[in-house]
């Protein structure tokens, strides 16, 4: 779990403001759900045999003996909130986004944390393939606006309750009946019994070569799923969104039906998924009597930032121009103390040292450390002349400005600098 501050946090904030804008451009409004949920919210819906539910949930038994979980993912919490507030009863498709911390007790490594931030979008009440294409196009827009160029969009269909069990049988038969069965890693040998589709997205080299020879799920879809899958592709082509078909994308959560997709970056190393998502038409039934379709995605903020940093080399964040006030003597102190708040109230980022014993050299040193754009120096001489010395720190240029004009002068300069 990470502490966030300083320049790193400024880079986060730049991205956060892009997220809010792009989600809003696409007609998504924000939703914030609590960090703690009842355990049933996830165990039922994400799937009892998934890694998340089996091993990764932070569970808390509270004083009333209720078992609560720190949210490991956003979609189940979102669906709980939708049903609780009857949001699916509102007219037409509904679009929501979230930007929230998630918690998974995983083995930490680069790009894999125990508290991490996800931004995600969910579109409910629209069963059409165009809705799936919209979500993928939204992610493409988000990543590009953020400045990510090197990412790949992989698309698959995991079928529905009709065709997936049949494919599952075909796959298990293939995996068990073939000599390559021995090539599977120990975990995949277990998966074969409980979640055979997950063998397809195992990262292990020998499992990958088995997956490459395995029957492909798109060849085993029922005709409505097949038609849906091809229309998603047609829509993405019409929108000019680059993607590739990848029949090994099966996702690690149980609620998906039809489209499943992942966004990866070669800049990330082993944990190369920037984000993932898909359609989850059966999920609402886990939360009550209502049945309504949904499709969505979530991306990992830390991974997005790692990929950006790898591409751009940890770019210095853009800072707001700022002012540092340097009083020399008690009269100047009182004058600048008042001025500093006039400037703050006028919306100019301003700081003044309250250490009355500090000499000019030390004040300027501090102003330099703060990366201030201007320093305003006033001593008794300046007060006598009713003028201040305004120094532009980058160039060293100094100007004498009438005391009554400082705020106007700096406001005008500031407007030019932003
Ligand atoms: P997910 O694939 O489990 O999907 O997570 C989405 C993204 O969250 C991953 O691709 C990754 O970037 C990031 N992520 C996951 N675990 C970690 C971790 N331990 N440390 C850092 N980043 C991590 C979901 O969570 C689904 N709810 C997505 C979805 C939304 N499907 C439909 N709607």
């Amino acid at each position: 779990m990470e502490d966030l501050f300083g320049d790193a946090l400024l880079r986060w904030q730049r991205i956060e403001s892009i997220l809010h804008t792009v989600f809003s451009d696409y007609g998504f409004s924000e939703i914030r759900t609590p960090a703690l949920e009842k355990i049933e919210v996830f165990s039922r819906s994400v799937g009892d045999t998934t890694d998340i539910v089996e091993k990764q949930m932070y569970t808390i038994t509270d004083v009333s003996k209720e078992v609560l979980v720190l949210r490991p993912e956003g979609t189940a919490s979102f669906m709980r909130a939708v049903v609780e507030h009857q949001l699916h009863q509102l007219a037409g498709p509904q679009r929501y986004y979230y930007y929230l911390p998630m918690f998974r007790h995983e083995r930490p490594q680069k790009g894999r944390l125990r508290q991490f931030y996800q931004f995600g979008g969910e579109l409910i009440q629209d069963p059409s393939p165009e809705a799936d294409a919209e979500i993928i196009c939204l992610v493409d827009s988000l990543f590009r606006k953020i400045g990510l160029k090197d990412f790949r969009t992989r698309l698959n269909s995991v079928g529905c309750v009709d065709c997936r069990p049949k494919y599952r049988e075909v796959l298990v038969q293939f995996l068990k009946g073939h000599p390559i069965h021995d090539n599977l890693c120990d975990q995949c040998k277990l998966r074969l019994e409980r979640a055979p589709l997950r063998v397809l997205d195992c990262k292990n080299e020998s499992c990958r070569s088995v997956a490459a020879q395995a029957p492909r799920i798109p060849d085993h879809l029922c005709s409505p799923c097949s038609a849906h899958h091809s229309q998603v592709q047609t829509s993405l082509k019409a929108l000019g969104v680059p993607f590739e078909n990848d029949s090994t994308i099966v996702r690690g959560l149980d609620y998906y039906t039809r489209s499943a997709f992942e966004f990866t970056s070669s800049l990330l190393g082993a944990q190369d998924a920037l984000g993932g998502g898909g359609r989850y038409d059966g999920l609402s039934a886990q939360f009550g009597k209502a049945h309504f379709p949904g499709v969505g995605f979530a991306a990992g903020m830390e991974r997005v930032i790692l990929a950006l940093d790898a591409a751009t080399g940890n770019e210095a964040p853009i800072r707001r121009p700022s002012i540092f006030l340097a009083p020399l003597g008690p009269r100047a102190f009182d004058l600048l103390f008042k001025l500093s708040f006039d400037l703050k109230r006028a919306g100019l980022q301003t700081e003044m040292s309250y250490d009355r014993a500090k000499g000019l050299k030390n004040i300027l040193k501090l102003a330099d450390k703060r990366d201030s754009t201007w320093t305003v120096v006033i001593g008794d001489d300046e007060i006598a002349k009713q003028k201040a010395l305004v120094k532009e720190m980058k160039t060293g240029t100094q100007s004498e400005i009438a005391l009554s004009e400082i705020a106007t002068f700096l406001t005008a300069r500031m407007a030019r600098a932003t």
Side-chain angles (χ1 to χ4, degrees), residues 1-2 58 101-104 113-117 302:
M1 303 192 190
E2 283 182 338
Y58 281 94
M102 307 289 159
F103 306 85
R104 296 184 192 175
L113 296 102
R114 289 181 171 173
Q115 174 177 321
F116 58 97
Y117 285 77
E302 289 81 1

Side-chain angles (χ1 to χ4, degrees), residues 163-301:
C163 53
R164 190 169 38 220
K166 291 177 194 146
Y167 169 72
R168 197 183 139 119
E169 252 173 56
V170 172
L171 180 67
V172 170
Q173 254 178 18
F174 166 83
L175 293 172
K176 279 191 173 164
H178 208 273
I180 52 176
H181 173 237
D182 293 335
N183 295 349
L184 295 177
C185 70
D186 290 346
Q187 213 186 348
C188 278
K189 283 182 183 146
L190 290 174
R191 282 181 179 143
L192 204 49
E193 305 301 329
R194 310 181 66 194
L197 269 68
R198 296 287 339 253
V199 173
L200 298 176
D201 76 349
C202 180
K203 294 262 163 39
N204 189 299
E205 256 326 299
S206 59
C207 299
R208 283 167 88 119
S209 68
V210 174
Q213 298 170 54
R216 296 169 63 254
I217 193 163
D219 300 333
H220 294 263
L221 296 174
C222 60
S223 61
C225 284
S226 184
H228 187 99
H229 190 42
S230 46
Q231 184 55 43
V232 175
Q233 296 171 60
T234 306
S235 303
L236 287 174
K237 284 177 196 151
L239 299 174
V241 176
F243 71 95
E244 56 205 88
N245 285 307
D246 184 340
S247 61
T248 67
I249 300 292
V250 292
R251 311 282 299 132
L253 304 98
D254 279 358
Y255 48 63
Y256 293 109
T257 50
R258 297 191 168 169
S259 297
F261 37 83
E262 257 171 37
F263 306 87
T264 54
S265 166
S266 58
L267 299 170
L268 284 178
Q271 301 304 317
D272 67 348
L274 288 164
R279 180 162 280 286
Y280 47 86
D281 291 349
L283 183 57
S284 61
Q286 306 278 353
F287 293 92
K289 291 197 188 85
H291 284 257
F292 55 90
V295 58
F297 84 97
M301 185 70 161

